[in-house]
């Protein structure tokens, strides 16, 4: 038996030589969940069942647990523990931790710390097994430091000074991730530059990977399918070409050599103009399997995205299902098909993607969006777990056990290969990490749900508020939780209620432009393709007499969605072109219900803002006023959405807007926010 007294700070020392503090000033807003809790430490003894090095990160965290002074660690857990843990308390002030993977020790330590900080008594024995094996953040970071749909500054990966100097933010980022169980990070944008795989960038990535390795995090890379050709090594990128296959095999060997914790590839192929196997008359399965073959010897996996749509099909919502279902059973065992929660694209509310469960012989993963591309960037508050839970908790009705999407995707189809869940990161080098001062709640919540998909949105919000506002009164935290919990439905109400979707301006996904018309643009990039407003009604007819997208859902969902009287009102205009006078469940007409929702959205934002105002003087003043300013902007923007959509649709409904409007439609049409895929709305972008 070996005895250790915890040594604190070792890991940070390792990096002292290679770190530069890229942000010398203190963070403006210290409200990340680990930044405000007291870290008072005491000496503890760690005893291990066999001679292993216990990471100083683990001993460091355990030394903050005030009711223990001895920890016995065993790594002899059975496979069912995965990278989870069991903790018992055989007697006073001693705990025993059983894990199978060493990362489980970090998670066990953070679990105890979280319970302590949240004021919850630990009830032993504790057994925690994560819902998903790979709990992944997908960064859409480009090699030039910009972030696609990123609203919190530039990339944390300071590519230009890597590999010699890594930003200190990377170490903190890894620690925050480990504290919530995130164990895999895709470093770069799915719109991948082939250069990600050149020698220079692999070396840079390896420095990041090394840091991550101390926190149990594996590195994945997004790859451009045409990389061997684009980098000049082959004449083709055909997945059945032997030279191409050999190139990928060598590349994986090189990556694995440089980064022992390299986990595999994420691929967006034949989507939005990117190259892919279809360019060579091959299938998605052919493409994915070529990469899978190269990764297989290293137990690596391919996450192959199902985000595909072409301009020609009659209904974009049907396309992923049409393209992927026929390929079921053809993917190699180490391929996971990664599917966005909804069939369009991260809208504030979508029906779930019918592809889930429709490929019983394929491992599938859900992709959620943490960055708020369609939910108000980093300007508007939108706590996203209620949206994610809607998808994760949806029953898919594909077999007798009626699994939910979370259940279906968290189970390993084959014992040897992992299950996964992915979230598109909202993190950048902004001083508060996520742009909006409260948006790190979404990062936290993604990790917690990936660890335990059955947690409720509300309980996660409470945890986050307790940790992040550790010094505040309980009533303050209750108010913050109340605000968070209202925020998603508020966004749906003032942006796109009742199943409306994609009413965004063409050049960005921030403000509304239901009228948008760009000559020559793809129809499925224009709002009118989705809302279909006319003198009869509003909404996309996806019933059996329309695009028949309902047929992609299993019974009884297909007929529930198909019937205008049974279709849930919150998805009415997703599945139906409903007449303006159609009576919804509240007894109101569709038009009146629409007005009611837009108005409710305005009122919700005003209410959240008023609740926030009551916190003045009770929390840090700078944080308070930062959020207050964001709410000022959010109130104006909610009004803009309300007026733009209702005034525009009123031209077709020809009915009054009971609550009235403030702006003039023609003036709104003439206004354009200057923004693109790489810039964020800022709270001062428009003078009113
Ligand atoms: C990374 C949408 C976004 C794109 C994004 C794409 C995807 O189209 O607007 O910015 O590209 O989804 O998920 O691949």
């Amino acid at each position: 038996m070996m005895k250790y007294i915890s040594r604190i700070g070792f890991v940070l020392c390792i990096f002292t030589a290679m770190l530069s503090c890229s942000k010398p000033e203190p963070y403006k807003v210290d409200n990340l969940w680990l930044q405000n809790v007291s870290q008072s430490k005491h000496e503890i003894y760690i005893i291990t069942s066999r001679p292993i090095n216990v990471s100083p990160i683990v001993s460091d965290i355990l030394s903050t647990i005030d009711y223990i002074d001895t920890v016995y660690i065993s790594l002899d857990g059975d496979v069912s523990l995965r990278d989870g843990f069991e903790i018992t308390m055989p007697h006073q002030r001693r705990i025993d931790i059983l894990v199978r993977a060493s990362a489980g020790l970090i998670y066990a330590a953070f679990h105890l710390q979280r319970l302590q900080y949240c004021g919850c008594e630990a009830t032993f024995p504790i057994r925690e097994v994560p819902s998903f094996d790979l709990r992944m953040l997908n960064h859409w970071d480009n090699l030039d430091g910009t972030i696609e749909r990123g609203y919190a500054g530039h990339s944390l990966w300071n590519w230009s000074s890597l590999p010699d100097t890594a930003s200190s933010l990377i170490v903190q980022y890894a620690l925050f991730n480990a504290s919530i169980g995130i164990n895999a990070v895709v470093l770069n944008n799915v719109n991948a530059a082939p250069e990600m795989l050149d020698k220079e960038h692999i070396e840079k990535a390896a420095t990041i990977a090394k840091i991550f390795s101390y926190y149990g995090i594996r590195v994945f890379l997004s790859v451009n399918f045409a990389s061997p050709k684009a980098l000049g090594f082959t004449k083709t990128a055909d997945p059945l070409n032997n030279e191409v296959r050999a190139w990928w095999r060598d590349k994986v060997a090189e990556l694995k050599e440089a980064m022992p914790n390299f986990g595999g590839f994420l691929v967006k192929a034949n989507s939005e103009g990117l190259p892919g196997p279809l360019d060579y008359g091959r299938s998605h399965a052919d493409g994915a399997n070529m990469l899978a073959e190269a990764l297989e010897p290293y137990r690596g996996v391919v996450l192959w995205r199902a985000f595909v749509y072409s301009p020609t099909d009659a209904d974009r919502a049907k396309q992923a299902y049409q393209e992927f279902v026929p390929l079921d059973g053809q993917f190699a065992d180490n391929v996971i098909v990664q599917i966005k929660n909804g069939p369009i694209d991260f809208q504030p509310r979508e029906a779930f993607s019918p592809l889930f469960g429709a490929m019983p012989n394929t491992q599938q993963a859900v992709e959620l969006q943490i960055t708020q591309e369609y939910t108000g960037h980093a300007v508007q508050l939108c706590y996203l777990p209620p949206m994610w839970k809607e998808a994760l908790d949806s029953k898919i009705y594909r077999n007798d056990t009626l699994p939910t999407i979370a259940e279906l995707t968290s189970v390993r189809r084959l014992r040897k290969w992992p299950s996964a869940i992915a979230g598109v990161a909202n993190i950048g080098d902004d001083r508060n990490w996520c742009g909006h001062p409260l948006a790190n709640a979404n990062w936290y919540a993604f990790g917690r749900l990936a660890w335990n998909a059955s947690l409720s949105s509300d309980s996660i919000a409470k945890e986050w508020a307790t940790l992040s506002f550790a010094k505040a009164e309980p009533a303050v935290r209750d108010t913050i939780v109340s605000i968070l919990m209202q925020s998603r439905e508020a966004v749906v109400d003032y942006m796109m209620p009742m199943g409306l979707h994609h009413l965004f301006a063409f050049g960005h996904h921030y403000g509304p432009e239901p009228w948008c018309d760009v000559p020559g643009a793809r129809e499925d990039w224009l709002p009118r393709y989705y809302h279909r407003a006319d003198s009869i009604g509003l909404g996309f007819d996806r019933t059996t007499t329309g695009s028949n997208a309902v047929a992609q859902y299993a019974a009884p969902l297909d007929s529930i969605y198909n019937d205008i009287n049974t279709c849930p009102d919150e998805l009415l205009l997703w599945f139906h072109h409903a007449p303006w006078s159609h009576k919804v469940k509240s007894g109101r007409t569709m038009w009146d219900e629409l007005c009611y929702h837009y108005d409710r959205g305005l009122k919700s934002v005003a209410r959240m803002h008023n609740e926030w105002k009551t916190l003045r003087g009770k929390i840090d003043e700078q944080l308070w006023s930062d959020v207050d300013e964001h709410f000022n902007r959010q109130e104006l923007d909610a009004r803009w959405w309300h007026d733009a959509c209702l005034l525009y649709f009123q031209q077709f409904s020809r009915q009054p807007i009971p609550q009235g409007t403030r702006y003039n439609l023609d003036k709104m049409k003439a206004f354009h926010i200057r923004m693109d895929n790489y810039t964020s709305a800022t709270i001062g972008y428009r003078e009113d």
Side-chain angles (χ1 to χ4, degrees), residues 144-165:
D144 64 1
T146 57
I147 306 180
E148 182 153 350
R149 313 301 179 184
Y151 310 113
H154 277 77
S155 174
L156 290 182
W157 332 131
N158 50 322
W159 292 115
S160 55
S161 41
L162 286 165
D164 305 324
T165 311

Side-chain angles (χ1 to χ4, degrees), residues 385-607:
M387 168 161 126
W388 300 335
K389 291 286 287 178
E390 249 170 45
L392 292 171
D393 293 347
S394 292
K395 283 196 170 65
I396 51 170
Y397 293 93
R398 292 277 170 196
N399 64 33
D400 296 342
T401 57
L402 299 185
T404 61
I405 289 177
E407 285 158 358
L408 172 97
T409 53
S410 59
V411 168
R412 290 184 196 178
R413 203 179 64 80
L414 299 166
R415 241 184 90 192
K416 189 174 163 200
W417 297 106
S419 62
I421 185 167
V424 181
N426 63 344
I427 302 147
D429 70 352
D430 256 14
R431 287 185 299 174
N432 67 17
W433 296 87
C434 299
H436 189 293
L438 305 182
N440 72 75
N442 287 327
W443 175 12
Y444 180 86
F446 172 77
R448 296 292 289 131
L449 275 177
W451 181 271
N452 181 351
S454 67
L455 291 175
S456 68
S457 306
D458 181 59
S459 69
I460 299 172
K462 282 186 183 131
E463 255 179 43
W464 176 83
T466 307
L467 299 173
S468 303
F469 293 86
K471 294 176 198 120
E473 292 293 314
V476 168
R477 297 185 211 137
D478 290 347
T479 303
I480 292 168
V481 172
S482 152
I483 292 170
L484 291 177
M485 289 302 293
Q486 299 169 58
S487 59
R488 186 278 184 133
E489 205 56 39
V491 168
V492 172
D493 273 341
Y494 67 71
M495 282 190 186
M496 287 168 283
M498 300 181 75
L500 284 173
H501 48 294
H502 231 309
L503 304 185
F504 296 95
F506 191 77
H508 55 82
H509 292 156
Y510 187 75
E513 273 186 19
W515 53 81
C516 173
D517 187 9
V518 177
R522 276 172 64 158
E523 265 305 296
D524 57 355
W525 285 353
L526 296 175
R528 63 170 180 241
Y529 174 91
Y530 301 97
H531 65 63
R532 315 235 159 174
D534 60 18
S535 59
I536 295 164
L538 182 66
F540 198 129
D541 183 0
R542 296 193 163 106
T543 67
T544 46
T545 50
S547 80
N548 200 21
V550 290
Q552 294 182 339
Y553 291 88
L557 288 179
D558 53 352
S559 45
I560 291 174
Y561 291 151
N562 190 52
D563 183 342
I564 197 167
N565 295 310
T566 55
C567 181
D569 283 344
E570 66 264 23
L571 291 175
L572 185 71
L573 307 177
W574 182 278
F575 286 112
H576 293 268
H577 188 68
W580 296 109
S581 57
H582 168 72
K583 281 268 168 66
V584 301
K585 313 224 171 15
S586 64
R588 287 185 275 267
T589 65
M590 184 270 278
W591 169 254
D592 285 344
E593 185 74 6
L594 200 65
C595 293
Y596 167 79
H597 277 280
Y598 275 108
D599 184 48
R600 194 173 73 171
L602 286 186
K603 289 182 172 141
S604 301
V605 184
R607 190 175 51 243

Side-chain angles (χ1 to χ4, degrees), residues 176-365:
F176 288 126
N177 276 339
S179 77
I180 49 177
I182 285 169
N183 67 351
V185 169
V186 182
L187 294 181
N188 59 318
N189 191 353
V190 285
N191 292 332
E195 290 72 26
M196 183 67 244
L197 292 180
D198 66 21
K199 196 166 171 299
E200 184 195 335
H201 285 95
I202 293 175
E203 259 179 48
K204 290 171 189 277
T207 301
I208 301 174
K210 176 111 201 250
I211 297 174
F212 286 180
S213 67
Y214 294 97
Y215 299 87
I217 298 172
R218 263 174 278 179
V219 166
F220 285 70
L221 297 177
S222 292
V223 291
N224 183 299
F225 193 77
S227 294
K229 182 171 174 233
L231 293 174
F233 290 97
T234 58
K235 292 208 167 52
T236 171
D238 182 348
L240 299 193
N241 176 285
N242 285 336
E243 273 178 45
V244 172
R245 297 175 88 85
W247 187 86
W248 283 107
R249 277 198 301 274
D250 292 349
K251 189 51 71 180
V252 171
E254 183 187 344
L255 287 164
K256 200 64 196 177
E257 168 86 33
M259 304 184 275
N261 55 336
F262 169 66
F265 295 134
L266 171 65
V267 193
K268 171 175 175 180
N270 291 116
S271 166
E272 298 189 329
L274 285 175
L278 277 62
D279 303 344
Y280 304 93
R282 316 296 183 196
S283 71
H284 285 286
D286 293 329
N289 293 350
M290 170 191 64
L291 300 175
E293 177 192 74
L295 288 160
E296 204 271 348
Y298 309 95
R299 297 182 58 79
V301 296
V302 180
L303 291 125
W304 191 269
R305 294 175 90 226
F307 179 66
V308 291
Y309 60 99
S310 60
T312 48
D313 198 273
D315 184 359
R316 171 175 168 181
K318 289 168 63 182
Q319 294 188 42
Y321 182 101
Q322 285 167 336
E323 250 179 78
F324 277 78
V325 169
L327 300 175
D328 186 32
Q330 295 179 30
F331 287 99
D333 293 345
N334 54 334
V335 175
I336 303 175
V337 172
Q338 183 167 307
I339 307 164
K340 291 189 181 182
N341 58 288
I344 297 285
D345 193 10
F346 300 135
Q347 299 301 292
R349 171 164 282 128
E350 295 197 28
F352 70 81
S353 168
L355 193 50
F356 288 111
M359 302 175 71
N361 302 303
T362 308
Q363 183 79 41
Q364 299 183 323

Side-chain angles (χ1 to χ4, degrees), residues 28-29 31-32 150-154 371-372 376-381 426-441 443 623 626-627 630 680-681 683:
K28 185 166 144 210
V29 183
N31 71 325
L32 241 55
Y151 310 113
H154 277 77
T371 191
Q372 291 174 236
H377 293 192
V379 174
Q380 302 175 21
L381 179 69
N426 63 344
I427 302 147
D429 70 352
D430 256 14
R431 287 185 299 174
N432 67 17
W433 296 87
C434 299
H436 189 293
L438 305 182
N440 72 75
W443 175 12
L623 172 65
D626 199 358
V627 175
H630 279 76
S680 161
I683 51 172

